[in-house]
């Protein structure tokens, strides 16, 4: 029989650690009960005691931009290649990287019902995820019935973010179509995400490069120079301003697009911005590897010249970037993925995207916090809290507060790790960060009160992860001139 004293015990207590949120840092215990954070204090007692001495107790990471188990189709960034990660392997890899929530994409292909696309994605995710997940909606065919019925209904059902593309033949929307989606999202309460690159310029440059026999992966960057991203970013901001709708520019890669965002904010326009590890740690040199291996680092926008990394870091440090996501796009370096059309094909035919779910947080922690570029609270904001706020998860997720989900990652800031693909848990046969030594690693990951990962061992189970409905607060954060 349980004693009266034991009734007061928490299910789990994390004790002895340094707890950090996006705004505060304190040495305290965290008491967890029924999957929620129930108390923050001293000398708490629980049925399960987790010692976090000399470690950091942080909100679980939220990777709010990743691609998992998307259907194959031509005219996309994938070029028809097969994604190596589904919700099982992808969420497993995410958990080992300190994440407790992921938000991949439910893709509407042209001619398809958006509702049907979302239903299909629910089937793909059902009972397979180790951690919680939501869906962004990708709209490629904004027909009248999609805008008037399907999209508002899905937003009302907890899909608080919608992505549109300015490039890729099968995905790109016209400026008018983007305005229609922006207006619909504004009225229905969703954030619009946009991939900002100029399709016509990319197509023209690619044709010219191929005519000159410039086919190798290193020419991928030549086909998508910073000017193309700059122009599209400027145009996307203008469309957002005209529609008076909030917008997030995803995977910003370079100085020129960064400058456009700075100018917009100086005018009082609230434009959100995201960047990714590949723009801090990869460069054009990684695209220029022998034996077609540069294809392993091909993504869009592409990695830039090494000097560009300084500008991206500056945006991380001074607050230009709101969130830091992996843009995990898992294509193997074999005939199912990057080599689908062979090792001598034009860069045009290579699947765009690189893996990064598991390495995203540790890379930023090591090269941001441990080098002094950013403080711990800024790391928490970029890794967790800002995504929760932007995408309608806060305060349920993205922070350590009484009443929030007990989604927590315990980090050992002194642990040195050399990244190798063998140690990672994705289903991709390489990592672009092979051999990179980093300092700091998540050693225990807790999802809704359950320990999923501890000291390199999987303790969680597939199916623990649930779909999480997301709703954004009423409009008011944006300012329009």
């Amino acid at each position: 029989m349980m004693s009266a004293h034991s009734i007061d015990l928490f299910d789990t207590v994390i004790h002895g650690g340094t707890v950090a949120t996006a705004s505060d840092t304190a040495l305290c215990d965290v008491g967890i009960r029924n999957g929620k954070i129930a108390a923050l204090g001293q000398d708490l007692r629980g049925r399960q005691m987790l010692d976090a001495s000399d470690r950091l107790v942080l909100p679980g990471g939220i990777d709010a931009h990743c691609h998992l188990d998307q259907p194959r189709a031509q005219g996309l960034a994938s070029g028809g290649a097969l994604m190596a990660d589904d919700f099982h392997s992808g969420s497993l890899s995410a958990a080992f990287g300190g994440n407790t929530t992921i938000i991949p994409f439910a893709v509407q292909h042209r001619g398809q019902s958006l509702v049907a696309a979302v239903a299909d994605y629910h089937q793909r995710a059902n009972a397979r995820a180790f951690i919680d997940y939501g869906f962004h909606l990708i709209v490629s065919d904004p027909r009248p019935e999609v805008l008037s019925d399907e999209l508002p209904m899905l937003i009302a059902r907890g899909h608080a973010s919608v992505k549109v593309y300015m490039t890729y033949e099968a995905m790109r929307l016209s400026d008018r179509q983007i305005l229609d989606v922006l207006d619909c999202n504004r009225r229905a309460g969703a954030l619009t995400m946009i991939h900002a690159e100029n399709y016509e310029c990319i197509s023209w440059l690619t044709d010219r490069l191929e005519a000159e026999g410039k086919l190798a992966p290193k020419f991928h960057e030549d086909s998508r120079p910073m000017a193309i991203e700059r122009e599209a970013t400027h145009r996307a901001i203008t469309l957002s301003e005209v529609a008076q709708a909030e917008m997030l520019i995803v995977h910003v890669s370079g100085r020129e697009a960064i400058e456009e965002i700075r100018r917009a904010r100086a005018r009082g326009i609230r434009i959100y911005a995201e960047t990714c590890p590949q723009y801090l740690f990869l460069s054009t040199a990684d695209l220029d590897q022998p034996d077609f291996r540069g294809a392993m680092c091909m993504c869009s926008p592409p990695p830039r010249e090494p000097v560009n990394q300084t500008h991206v870091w500056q945006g991380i440090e001074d607050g230009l970037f709101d969130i830091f996501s992996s843009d995990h796009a898992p294509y193997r370096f074999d005939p199912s993925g990057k080599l689908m059309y062979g090792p001598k094909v034009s860069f045009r035919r290579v699947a765009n995207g690189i893996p990064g779910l598991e390495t995203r947080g540790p890379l930023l922690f090591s090269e941001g916090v441990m080098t002094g570029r950013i403080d711990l609270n800024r790391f928490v904001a970029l890794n967790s809290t800002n995504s929760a706020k932007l995408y309608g998860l806060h305060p349920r997720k993205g922070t350590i507060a009484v009443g929030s989900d007990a989604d927590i990652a315990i980090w050992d800031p002194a642990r040195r790790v050399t990244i190798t693909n063998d140690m990672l848990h994705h289903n991709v046969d390489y990592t672009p960060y092979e051999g990179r030594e980093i300092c700091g690693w998540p050693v225990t990951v807790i999802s809704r009160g359950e320990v999923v990962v501890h000291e390199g061992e999987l303790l969680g189970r597939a199916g623990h992860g649930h779909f999480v409905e997301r709703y954004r607060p009423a409009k008011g954060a944006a300012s329009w001139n």
Side-chain angles (χ1 to χ4, degrees), residues 28-310:
C28 68
D29 297 344
V30 180
I32 299 170
R33 183 178 288 131
N34 297 326
K36 300 282 188 180
I37 297 170
L40 301 173
Q42 303 294 328
D43 301 320
L44 304 182
R45 305 304 297 171
R47 297 178 183 86
Q48 176 180 230
M49 300 292 292
L50 296 177
D51 184 9
S53 301
D54 300 319
R55 295 183 174 179
L56 303 173
V57 181
L58 309 180
I62 299 174
D63 196 335
H65 186 160
C66 55
H67 301 268
L68 299 175
D69 202 14
Q70 289 179 196
R72 301 169 76 168
Q74 294 295 329
L76 308 179
S78 66
L82 175 68
M83 282 198 163
D85 283 320
D86 58 12
F87 277 83
H88 186 277
S89 62
S91 66
L92 177 67
S93 182
F96 273 90
N99 299 291
T100 52
T101 306
I102 52 176
I103 313 180
F105 295 85
V107 183
Q108 176 211 30
H109 297 300
R110 287 182 181 157
Q112 182 185 25
S113 158
L114 184 58
V115 171
V118 172
D120 173 69
Y121 215 51
H122 272 291
Q123 286 296 111
R124 292 170 182 268
N126 186 41
R128 298 185 65 78
F130 289 88
I131 57 176
D132 288 349
Y133 58 90
F135 302 152
H136 302 298
L137 309 177
I138 290 181
V139 175
S140 67
D141 191 0
R143 305 184 305 274
E145 63 270 25
V146 172
L147 294 170
S148 63
D149 300 326
E150 291 192 327
L151 189 51
M153 179 185 69
L154 289 167
I155 293 169
R157 290 180 179 177
H159 302 86
S161 46
V162 180
K163 186 179 180 183
V164 295
Y165 286 80
M166 301 174 86
T167 190
Y168 302 128
E169 177 60 38
M171 304 300 293
R172 64 188 178 108
L173 302 185
S174 69
D175 288 357
R176 185 184 182 98
Q177 288 174 315
I178 292 171
L179 285 167
D180 285 341
V181 175
L182 280 164
D183 184 60
C184 178
N185 292 342
R186 178 184 59 81
R187 288 183 284 107
L191 177 67
T192 303
M193 311 159 66
I194 193 161
H195 180 139
E197 288 184 293
N198 185 308
Y199 171 81
E200 298 292 348
C201 289
I202 293 168
S203 179
W204 185 83
L205 284 170
T206 299
D207 288 345
R208 190 173 72 171
L209 288 163
E210 287 182 336
E212 296 171 354
K214 297 176 178 178
L215 308 180
K218 68 180 181 179
F219 295 110
H220 174 63
E221 201 272 341
D222 292 334
S223 75
R224 309 174 101 97
M226 279 201 285
I228 282 173
E229 185 184 12
R230 180 193 70 215
E231 183 281 330
T233 299
H234 177 86
R235 183 157 40 99
I237 291 168
T238 301
L239 296 174
S240 173
E241 189 173 4
V242 168
Q244 297 192 10
E246 293 180 307
M247 175 184 283
L248 169 72
I249 312 289
V250 299
H251 48 51
V252 176
S253 77
R255 172 182 56 82
E256 296 185 19
I258 289 171
E259 290 172 351
E260 290 295 331
I261 295 166
R262 290 196 192 280
R263 278 194 285 270
R265 289 183 176 175
R267 298 199 312 273
I269 305 302
R270 187 62 181 268
I271 294 293
Y272 302 107
E274 168 201 84
T275 196
C276 309
Q278 46 268 40
Y279 308 121
L280 296 176
F281 302 102
L282 302 180
S283 73
T284 49
D286 295 288
L287 297 174
D288 189 14
Q289 299 183 57
D291 302 321
F292 207 67
R293 296 179 67 81
M296 293 191 293
C297 296
M298 283 180 57
C299 56
S300 294
R304 306 296 186 184
E305 293 290 338
V307 68
N308 182 71
Q309 294 174 357
T310 301

Side-chain angles (χ1 to χ4, degrees), residues 360-388:
R360 174 191 72 105
L363 284 168
L364 182 62
F365 184 90
S366 179
E367 300 305 315
V369 178
M370 299 307 291
T371 64
R373 284 187 171 109
I374 58 175
D375 64 20
L376 183 59
N377 307 107
R378 175 78 176 134
F379 170 78
V380 171
L382 288 164
N383 190 54
S384 306
T385 310
N386 289 355
S387 289

